[in-house]
Amino acid sequence: MVSIPAIHAKCAPPMTTMITCLSHAAADAVENLLDAAFGTDRHHRTAYRIRNAMPVLPELSFAAFDGDRLVASLQSWPVAVGNADVVLVGPVAVAPDRQRSGLGRKLMGTLIRAAPDTPMVMIGDPEYYGHFFGFTAAATGNWHTPGPVERHRLLARNASGLPASGWLGPRAFALAASRP
């Protein structure tokens, strides 16, 4: 008779991730998540300048929770290119221990379902956001930004009605900068 040793492993209970409005997350929890995902120097990035002083769009911003823990977030912002309103998507942040788990994709899917026809812009990976969500750099080549950007990473979705050129920035700034 062969003796099989008992295996004593601690198994964590399965996690149920709940996606909800970002307004359910404490502001400090969101900031801590963003710091963990992108670093504390993230405020100097061009995306922060594009949305400078704009409030987050609560109806297009989402959070993912495992129990009480915020594990991912997606923020959307009211910006403009020239005189056309557009939604700036991002940051899409996922806790380092949950990256590559599909949470970012779930949050993006939630956003796209909430506003399927809304013009959107983001700075991101063109292969990923193009393949899964229809973002492309085709419309953004002549857009001006308030900071440096790798042109192939400035992506738009539903951009057919957007200007071919103009300043991308906070809605009030973009409108003023595009006036002759």
Side-chain angles (χ1 to χ4, degrees):
M1 181 169 209
V2 177
S3 173
I4 299 175
I7 298 175
H8 299 283
K10 288 188 174 185
C11 294
M15 290 189 243
T16 302
T17 303
M18 180 182 70
I19 295 179
T20 187
C21 298
L22 185 65
S23 60
H24 290 117
D28 62 332
V30 174
E31 289 300 310
N32 290 337
L33 174 66
L34 292 170
D35 285 347
F38 299 110
T40 57
D41 63 342
R42 62 189 161 80
H43 298 282
H44 302 290
R45 294 180 178 189
T46 298
Y48 281 79
R49 296 178 196 171
I50 292 171
R51 66 174 189 253
N52 186 42
M54 300 306 303
V56 70
L57 292 169
E59 67 277 12
L60 297 178
S61 298
F62 303 98
F65 287 91
D66 278 336
D68 291 337
R69 180 181 174 222
L70 177 66
V71 292
S73 68
L74 180 152
Q75 295 173 302
S76 297
W77 308 86
V79 299
V81 59
N83 62 354
D85 291 348
V86 62
V87 172
L88 175 66
V89 178
V92 180
V94 179
D97 66 320
R98 296 297 306 274
Q99 291 178 0
R100 301 203 175 275
S101 66
L103 286 174
R105 187 182 301 183
K106 288 179 184 176
L107 288 171
M108 284 295 299
T110 302
L111 170 65
I112 300 300
R113 285 188 301 278
D117 301 319
T118 300
M120 297 179 188
V121 64
M122 70 182 323
I123 299 172
D125 179 54
E127 290 79 19
Y128 178 82
Y129 290 103
H131 176 74
F132 291 109
F133 306 107
F135 282 85
T136 176
T140 66
N142 291 318
W143 293 1
H144 304 284
T145 60
V149 66
E150 295 176 70
R151 301 309 305 183
H152 73 283
R153 294 177 53 83
L154 183 60
L155 309 173
R157 180 178 193 283
N158 297 327
S160 62
L162 298 177
S165 63
W167 278 95
L168 177 64
R171 285 195 179 159
F173 169 81
L175 186 58
S178 66
R179 289 189 181 131

